Structures are given as structure tokens and as C-alpha cells.
Amino acid sequence: MEPAWRQQGRGRGRGQPGGGAAGRGGGMRAEPTGEEDDDSDGQSRPRFEDIRMSNQAAAQRLVGGALSSSSSDEGDEDDDSEQRDGKRGKILASTFTSYTHQTGGDSSGLVRTGQYVSELFQSGALTCLICISSVRRTQPVWSCSSCFCLFHLPCIQQWSRDSQLLLAEEEREQQPCPKCRAEYPPSSKPSRYLCYCGKLQDPPPDPWLVPHSCGSVCQKELKPACGHTCLLLCHPGPCPPCPKMVSVSCLCGKATPLPRRCSNKAWSCQQPCGLLLGCRQHRCSQACHKECGVCPRVSVQRCVCGREQTDRPCASPQWNCQQVCGSLLSCGNHTCELVCHDGLCPPCPRSVSRSCPCGKTKSSLPCTEDVSPCGDTCDKKLSCNVHTCSMRCHRGSCETCRQEVLKSCRCGKHRKLQPCHKEYLCESKCPKTRSCQRHQCRRKCCPGNCPPCDQSCGRSLSCRNHKCPSVCHPGSCYPCPQTVEVRCSCSSSVLLVPCGRERSTRPPRCKEPCRRPPSCHHPSREPHRCHPGPCPPCRQQVRRTSSPCLPSCTRTHTHTGPVPCHRQGRFSCKRACGRPLTCGNHSCSLECHLVTDGLHKALCEDCEDSCAKPRPPGCPHPCPRPCHPGNCPPCSQMVRQRCHCKMSLLYLECRKLTSVDEETKVKLGSCNNQCPKELSCGHRCKQVCHPGECELRCPQKVKLRCPCRRIKKEVLCSQSRQAAVQCDDVCRDHQRKATAARHATLLISTSPVQEELEAFEKRQQRGGRRGKRRGRRDEEAEPSGRGHCWRRFIMVLVPVGGVLSAAAAYYLLSCT
């Protein structure tokens, strides 16, 4: 059977003119003809509108849920913040419904858990401490069961691998959490993406559930263990206190059991306890409690030996008076030397079989006599446990071992003769690196067990704001544990983010109105919420009349009509600006734009042409600055050129060569060395490196002599041709004497004796040896006898006489 509103609609359409058209067009728009039709139309219209509005709201919720995100990267906008806040409230309510039903709507135990759930929906509040980036609702994560901090699954896996290598070096197995340092066994290494309760692997993102949640009941065992499980839906953070109602008695067990919350089931009936205390003398006077303590009263207590008594706590009756016992032992000769004790005294220690000090000889003397040394060698092990005592049997401890042995140092690199009781330590420093893998051990004579590094790490943390405060360690540093506040523009809303995340985190949403003053002539801005960045332009309607265009144009245009406030005022005429640029050489080619008096040059475009001004004479370099006003700066480039003598390369600044006179320019082009050119006389030029030809007159001095070379005189090289030195009378006398001596020598050299003398000298030069071609027969054929000896005597005497006669002739000539 069809609904009543549908039947009434068809009847109403048939009872009116044009009812067919009305029925096809929709009975909702037909005019009522009677009381019955009015009632039916009044009932059907609200129902239809309600259905239509509910369908539209459901479609908007689905679309908004699919586009929602927990991070700033996923498109959070301020326009639909109220709608998202309402949806988040519904998600939180559905998560906590099973808990609040048990507590009658009380949510005081959900404060901590609710904070963790709210941070999942707040932009920038959830950050991975390893990579310092936002945790999105679609990324696989891992949650620590101790601090409930979320990490990206790839980040925590990489951290686990790095920690495993470091722990293997330290011979440890437990792996720490990057935040709370809670240790996990190797079996719990993060390997899968699980929901918070661990029931579902790879939970799909659902816009109507908490991110990374499976949507089912948590069912984790509550802590402290009470036998019940968590009633919330799969959630981050700790489980709330147990909300179950149980019937429990008071702490002392005397009162009737009452219904109490399982998380707060301990209660006191406030009646006196009355139980017998541990002293077995007094009873507990405290109100109902769980366990009785020690007796707080004081009583008179005797010591163990019974000699003294004093006021002592009733809970500790046993005490010693610290006096020596002094009782006579069973031997009847000695007294007990023990401090205050109970029971019988021990037997006399000297009544048993005793031995000499070295222990080699046994004796059974009475306790009144001492056992004397046996006189044998002691032979007890010394403190080195290698050698024995060489003294005779003696009382007391043995001496220190002083034997010299060849000992190795602790590191095993050196050996040396040392007394046995001394340890040998060398001066070698250990070159191994410590556990930090950054610093050397540098400990003297290290045996290899290098101590851990005691220096501070000091490396920059991932936040780039703080240094690592830990002791120097290998591998990556722990994340920065500090948090930073990110505030909105009015500082009403505060968001705590990990240190280093404040630069990339958007400010929190703030529902307070924006308090910034208006930037236009209106007394106040349009009402809008607090926001980051500049305020939107004023959109209040104003009427614009005729006004000139921007100051770069001189024509006036008329525009009337209402326009938004931020568009009021001068406008662009779409022509070129034409104002002179800051360079003073060109004009602005931009479209007509806004300028202000006094600052118009700064608002126009910057001239990008190169400087085209002429350079100083002789400078081949262009100006390095772009187009600019005023004179160009002096040229600072270096010029390379040869000196005047072409022997050296000089590097000079271009501005020095173009700004000095010719005389200074000649000085700058000189290498300041002596000129290498030769003059016509053959001497080197004495001037410093100079341009042009050298001077013709040589300034060097030369020595001139007379023809007989006795007289000498110094003159300039340029005057040496005109200044000739002549011989004097002394020179002529010397010449005459020399001529006479030469004549006497010539006479002697022409005599026959001279020929014999020359032949004799030749034989003496040959050393008296026989010639190669001269045989023994020729030697035998030489003349012999007295005539031969006389001939040799004459050959020696004649030269000597010739020399003596020549000397005598020279002497006579010089005397005359």
C-alpha cells in the first residue's frame, strides 16, 4: 500500500483544473482546494524537506571526511573549521561512549587519553622526533608502549638498525626508545604497521575513526592489573582508570563491603585497627589501613649481655652495649675477648693443637705457653704468589717480595727488570679509538680495555638549536627533548611542538577576533578571526569619483560607482611610467604604477644596462658598474707591460697610468735595475732602466800609461782619446840601459859556445835517457877518456861564464 502523502497528492491533482499538469509537475506546488488538502500538504512538505536536508548533510559529511587530515600539508582551511571541530567531537564521543556509560557520563579519567587523541587532529602537534616532520594519518607509524610517542615506521626501523650495531659493540641486547629510553628486547623490533591495540595490521584510513585506529574495542589489560580490560575504542596514549563497579570491604576488613570503582576500590572505615603489633606488647591505634607498621612506642630494653639498660624503640629490642665480655673461659686461664654477646662464650682458642708460625711443626702445649719458632725456613707464599719467604720461621707477616724479574709492561710492548712487587708501566700512549669512534684513548700503557670516552658530544641536534649534552657516543644523537611554543597572532592559542619544528608549523587556530588596527580610513576592519599573515583587503563599499591615475601619468580619468575599499584611489592608465631611473640616464618602461613622493625612484624598475660613459684617455677597460649617475669609479684593473729595457714584466694599476704626468709615467715604467745596453766604447750603461738611447759620453774612468808603461793616469773614458801620457827623462834613461843590456845578451847568444849550451839544455830536458832509435852500439861508440871529460867541463863552464859577464856588463852600464 502506498503512503498516505502520495495518495493524497494524486487525489488533489485530479480535483483541480489542470490537475494532470500539476501532478506531473509535482503535487508539492499544487494549490489546496479544501481543508483536507491543506492538512496533507502541511504534513508532506516538512517531511520532504527534512529528507532532502538530511541527505545533503550526509553528502557534505562524507566529502568533508574524505578531505580531512591531521597535518597542515593535507589542506586544512579556516572556513570549515567549525564543521571539522564538530566532526572531531563526534569521533571523540564515539571513542569514549563505552567508558562514559560505565561512569554515568563522568569523563574525568579521560583527560590524559583525550589529550593524545586531540593531538592527532591538531595541525603540527604530532611530529616524528627522528626526522622532525609531521605524522600524517595515512603514514605507517609505531607507538612506544611507555611514553606513547608516535614515530614513522621507516624512521624507527632505521633507528633500531643503528642501535643494534651500537649495542652489539657494547654487548647489550635491549634497544632504547628515542624519547623515553625505555628498553625493548630484540623480539619486539618494529617490523609491521599495527593499530594501537595491535589487532589489525595496516589499518585503512577512515574519516570517522581516530587516525591509525582499527575502530574496535581496545581490550588491553588495565594497569595496575585488576582483571578487567580497557573499554575504549582502539586509541593512542594510556588506557584510562578502570570504570567497573566492584563490591569491596574496607582496608581492615571489618566493615560491610560497599560498591566502589575498580580503579579506586581501596577505602577506609576510619575505625581503630586494634591489631597486635610486632613487639607483641602493644596494639595498633591508627585508623583503618592496609598494613600495620612498626611499633612507635619506647620502652626500657636491656642489652644482649644484660649489663646495661636504656630507653629504646619497642620495635628493635635487640642491641649491643659495645663492652668486652670478659668472662672466664673454660680453660680457667683466659677471658672472653668478644664484644657484648648472648649465649655461652666460645672455648679458649689456645687449648687446641697449635703449630709454629710457619706451620711446619705441630705442638700440644698448654694454653699458658706460647709455641716458639721452629728455626726452619718460612717458605710461605709472598704477596706475589710466585716466590716464597726466605726468612726463618717468624711471627707476623712476611716481607715484601724484592726479587728482580723480567716483567712485561701492561700493554705488552716493552720488558724490563723490576722488583717483583712493583708493576711495570711504560710511557707508550694507546693509539686506539674509544667507544665513541671519534677520540683516541691516549692512556699510558693501556692493556686494550680502553675506558669509555669522557668528553661531551657537543654535536648539533636535528633541531639545529641545541647541542647534544650526552657523553661522546657513536652513531646518531638522541632527538632534542625540549618543546617550543607556537602562538597565534594574538597569543591566545598556544601549541607545543618539538624543538626545531617551530619554523615549519602553522600557528594554531584561534577563535578570537582579529585585533589588528585597520589600514584604511574606516574605523574598524570587517570582523574576522585571528589569523597568521596580513589581513585581507578591506571590502567595504565606497564611491569613487573622478581622480587622476597614478603619479607617473599626468592625465585624469573619471570613474564613478561603488567599489571595494581596497580598490579606491588612483589607478593605472596602462601606459609607460616614463620617470627617470636612479641611474639618471634612462627612464622607467614599466606600466603606470603607484609611486609616492620622495620615494618614487625606489619603486620604479632598476636599470639593467651597462655603463656607457667614456673612459679616461689610455684606459681600455669598460666600467664594471651598471648604469649609474655621476662619474665612473677609477679603474682598478692591473695592466701588464715591459719595462724600458725590455728585461722585466711590470704589473701596474690602470688608474695610475692614466692619471699621472709623463715624468711619473716614465718612473712607473722603469724596473729600477741598471741598463743592460753597451755604449760605443764597449762599457755598460751606468743609468737606471730608462727609455730611448743611452748617453754618448761614458762616465766610467780608465787608466792610461806612457809608452814605456811606467807612468799611469786615470781619466774619463770619453776623454781617453784626447789625453795621452808621454815619457819623461827617467823613462828615457831606463830605455838606454835596457838597450845596452839587450846588445850584450845578443853578443853572447851568437857565439859557438851558445850552440853547445843549447844542445846541452836539450839533453837535460830529455832527462839523460837514451833515444828510442839509439842503440847500444852507438852508446859504446861514444868517445871516452880524458878528452871527453874536458869537453864536458867546457860545456858547463862556458854558459856560467856568459851569464856572469852579462851581469857585469849590466852593472857597469848602470853605474855610468
Side-chain angles (χ1 to χ4, degrees):
M1 183 176 180
E2 295 183 357
W5 67 270
R6 188 179 294 277
Q7 297 175 3
Q8 294 170 0
R10 288 201 301 267
R12 184 173 62 252
R14 290 192 301 268
Q16 291 184 358
R24 291 189 300 270
M28 300 297 295
R29 291 193 300 269
E31 296 293 336
T33 58
E35 184 177 357
E36 181 180 357
D37 293 340
D38 292 340
D39 295 339
S40 63
D41 185 57
Q43 294 175 1
S44 60
R45 185 183 298 273
R47 294 184 62 183
F48 181 83
E49 292 293 334
D50 292 342
I51 294 172
R52 182 178 63 83
M53 293 176 64
S54 63
N55 292 338
Q56 290 180 356
Q60 291 179 359
R61 285 196 300 271
L62 291 176
V63 173
L67 297 177
S68 64
S69 174
S70 62
S71 65
S72 60
D73 309 77
E74 297 173 352
D76 287 340
E77 299 293 340
D78 294 336
D79 298 338
D80 57 344
S81 60
E82 294 181 357
Q83 181 180 357
R84 282 196 297 274
D85 293 342
K87 188 189 74 172
R88 292 170 185 171
K90 293 180 181 179
I91 296 175
L92 294 177
S94 63
T95 304
F96 301 149
T97 298
S98 57
Y99 184 89
T100 54
H101 284 177
Q102 297 284 338
T103 59
D106 184 15
S107 60
S108 58
L110 300 173
V111 176
R112 188 179 177 192
T113 307
Q115 181 180 0
Y116 280 93
V117 179
S118 300
E119 287 180 354
L120 292 175
F121 296 100
Q122 195 170 4
S123 171
L126 208 59
T127 304
C128 177
L129 295 182
I130 299 177
C131 64
I132 313 298
S133 60
S134 298
V135 178
R136 303 183 184 181
R137 65 184 307 159
T138 57
Q139 294 175 329
V141 296
W142 177 82
S143 176
C144 176
S145 59
S146 178
C147 63
F148 309 105
C149 183
L150 280 181
F151 303 92
H152 291 127
L153 185 61
C155 295
I156 195 64
Q157 288 175 343
Q158 181 65 33
W159 179 273
S160 178
R161 286 191 293 269
D162 296 343
S163 301
Q164 188 173 5
L165 296 176
L166 298 179
L167 294 176
E169 298 177 358
E170 301 176 2
E171 298 181 356
R172 294 173 53 193
E173 295 183 356
Q174 302 289 336
Q175 297 181 356
C177 168
K179 182 179 180 181
C180 65
R181 312 300 193 267
E183 295 185 345
Y184 290 87
S187 58
S188 60
K189 177 181 177 181
S191 59
R192 296 180 299 169
Y193 171 37
L194 300 175
C195 63
Y196 299 110
C197 63
K199 298 177 183 177
L200 181 62
Q201 182 176 352
D202 298 330
D206 192 336
W208 293 103
L209 293 177
V210 175
H212 316 294
S213 172
C214 64
S216 60
V217 181
C218 177
Q219 293 183 346
K220 288 184 180 179
E221 292 186 1
L222 298 177
K223 295 180 181 180
C226 62
H228 302 122
T229 58
C230 181
L231 301 176
L232 301 183
L233 299 185
C234 183
H235 63 90
C239 295
C242 183
K244 294 284 187 179
M245 298 295 293
V246 293
S247 180
V248 292
S249 180
C250 63
L251 295 175
C252 64
K254 297 179 179 179
T256 305
L258 296 177
R260 300 276 297 180
R261 293 284 181 197
C262 184
S263 59
N264 191 24
K265 57 185 176 182
W267 65 284
S268 174
C269 63
Q270 301 301 322
Q271 297 182 8
C273 177
L275 295 178
L276 191 64
L277 297 176
C279 64
R280 301 299 176 184
Q281 297 180 6
H282 308 97
R283 292 186 177 274
C284 181
S285 60
Q286 295 183 4
C288 174
H289 57 277
K290 188 174 182 179
E291 293 182 0
C292 299
V294 297
C295 184
R297 299 186 181 183
V298 177
S299 60
V300 177
Q301 304 287 345
R302 284 187 175 275
C303 64
V304 174
C305 66
R307 295 183 180 181
E308 295 183 5
Q309 62 180 10
T310 185
D311 293 336
R312 299 270 306 169
C314 191
S316 57
Q318 299 288 335
W319 65 285
N320 301 87
C321 64
Q322 301 300 321
Q323 293 186 12
V324 178
C325 179
S327 301
L328 192 64
L329 298 179
S330 58
C331 64
N333 301 319
H334 303 92
T335 58
C336 180
E337 297 178 358
L338 297 178
V339 182
C340 175
H341 64 90
D342 56 349
L344 298 177
C345 296
C348 180
R350 298 168 63 91
S351 61
V352 298
S353 177
R354 293 175 290 167
S355 61
C356 64
C358 67
K360 295 180 181 180
T361 305
K362 301 289 183 179
S363 64
S364 57
L365 297 176
C367 65
T368 56
E369 296 182 12
D370 294 334
V371 179
S372 59
C374 63
D376 198 358
T377 306
C378 180
D379 286 339
K380 287 183 179 180
K381 286 281 188 179
L382 298 178
S383 59
C384 63
N385 291 327
V386 176
H387 305 98
T388 57
C389 181
S390 60
M391 299 174 63
R392 288 191 176 184
C393 181
H394 61 89
R395 292 184 175 89
S397 59
C398 299
E399 63 179 3
T400 306
C401 183
R402 301 184 182 277
Q403 295 191 29
E404 286 195 351
V405 294
L406 187 62
K407 280 194 169 186
S408 297
C409 63
R410 189 167 57 183
C411 64
K413 294 182 179 179
H414 305 280
R415 303 183 70 184
K416 184 180 180 181
L417 284 174
Q418 286 278 111
C420 187
H421 70 281
K422 290 185 178 180
E423 184 182 8
Y424 173 42
L425 300 178
C426 68
E427 298 295 325
S428 300
K429 294 184 179 180
C430 181
K432 296 181 180 179
T433 56
R434 298 192 176 183
S435 57
C436 63
Q437 303 298 326
R438 293 174 60 190
H439 302 102
Q440 285 185 334
C441 177
R442 307 300 295 170
R443 187 174 61 163
K444 289 185 178 181
C445 197
C446 179
N449 55 343
C450 303
C453 187
D454 55 353
Q455 299 187 28
S456 178
C457 178
R459 289 183 289 184
S460 296
L461 298 177
S462 54
C463 64
R464 303 299 179 186
N465 296 329
H466 303 93
K467 303 282 187 181
C468 180
S470 304
V471 179
C472 189
H473 58 86
S476 303
C477 300
Y478 279 103
C480 183
Q482 302 187 23
T483 57
V484 182
E485 291 184 354
V486 178
R487 296 181 176 270
C488 63
S489 299
C490 65
S491 301
S492 299
S493 300
V494 181
L495 179 65
L496 290 178
V497 296
C499 182
R501 183 67 178 168
E502 66 275 6
R503 291 182 289 271
S504 59
T505 302
R506 292 179 59 185
R509 293 192 184 92
C510 180
K511 296 184 179 180
E512 298 292 330
C514 182
R515 304 171 186 173
R516 297 180 182 177
S519 57
C520 60
H521 65 281
H522 291 99
S524 62
R525 292 183 182 271
E526 295 177 315
H528 59 283
R529 288 187 179 181
C530 176
H531 59 89
C535 293
C538 182
R539 299 182 180 276
Q540 302 182 45
Q541 297 294 325
V542 295
R543 180 174 295 276
R544 183 169 65 185
T545 59
S546 59
S547 61
C549 62
L550 299 179
S552 60
C553 184
T554 57
R555 294 197 300 174
T556 302
H557 300 268
T558 302
H559 290 275
T560 60
V563 294
C565 179
H566 68 278
R567 296 182 58 187
Q568 182 189 12
R570 298 177 175 181
F571 53 92
S572 174
C573 65
K574 308 299 181 181
R575 295 187 178 183
C577 175
R579 283 186 171 271
L581 299 179
T582 55
C583 65
N585 304 321
H586 305 89
S587 58
C588 180
S589 61
L590 296 178
E591 182 183 317
C592 177
H593 57 90
L594 179 64
V595 292
T596 55
D597 294 336
L599 298 176
H600 59 278
K601 293 184 179 180
L603 296 178
C604 293
E605 64 177 345
D606 295 331
C607 183
E608 297 180 354
D609 296 342
S610 59
C611 180
K613 294 182 179 180
R615 304 297 293 161
C619 177
H621 309 108
C623 180
R625 294 179 55 188
C627 188
H628 60 88
N631 298 327
C632 296
C635 183
S636 60
Q637 296 194 30
M638 303 300 292
V639 178
R640 184 179 68 176
Q641 66 178 16
R642 291 277 182 180
C643 63
H644 301 305
C645 61
K646 310 300 181 182
M647 296 294 291
S648 302
L649 280 175
L650 303 178
Y651 292 89
L652 305 172
E653 287 186 349
C654 182
R655 59 182 176 183
K656 290 184 178 180
L657 293 176
T658 57
S659 60
V660 297
D661 53 2
E662 291 297 329
E663 183 179 356
T664 308
K665 192 179 295 185
V666 170
K667 292 182 180 179
L668 293 175
S670 174
C671 62
N672 296 325
N673 295 324
Q674 185 180 356
C675 180
K677 299 177 183 178
E678 288 189 359
L679 302 177
S680 58
C681 61
H683 295 122
R684 185 177 174 181
C685 181
K686 296 295 183 180
Q687 295 182 357
V688 180
C689 178
H690 61 89
E693 297 294 334
C694 300
E695 295 183 356
L696 297 178
R697 301 181 61 182
C698 180
Q700 187 172 351
K701 292 183 177 181
V702 295
K703 293 181 179 179
L704 297 180
R705 292 179 180 270
C706 64
C708 69
R709 305 191 64 83
R710 189 184 70 84
I711 302 174
K712 60 181 179 180
K713 181 181 179 182
E714 286 188 354
V715 295
L716 295 177
C717 181
S718 59
Q719 302 175 359
S720 60
R721 296 181 180 180
Q722 292 80 12
V725 181
Q726 302 297 329
C727 292
D728 56 358
D729 295 338
V730 178
C731 293
R732 296 186 187 93
D733 292 341
H734 282 233
Q735 289 177 2
R736 287 195 300 269
K737 293 178 182 180
T739 303
R742 284 197 300 271
H743 283 296
T745 305
L746 182 61
L747 292 175
I748 295 173
S749 61
T750 55
S751 61
V753 180
Q754 184 67 24
E755 294 178 0
E756 291 292 334
L757 182 61
E758 290 177 358
F760 175 75
E761 289 178 353
K762 288 181 181 180
R763 286 194 300 271
Q764 291 297 325
Q765 290 177 359
R766 288 197 299 266
R769 295 181 180 180
R770 299 188 301 271
K772 294 182 180 180
R773 298 180 181 180
R774 186 176 180 183
R776 186 175 296 274
R777 296 178 180 177
D778 297 336
E779 186 177 356
E780 294 177 353
E782 289 181 356
S784 59
R786 185 177 298 175
H788 178 69
C789 294
W790 180 253
R791 187 177 179 181
R792 286 191 174 185
F793 175 75
I794 293 174
M795 291 178 65
V796 173
L797 184 61
V798 170
V800 174
V803 173
L804 293 175
S805 61
Y810 179 76
Y811 176 74
L812 293 174
L813 291 174
S814 61
C815 291
T816 58

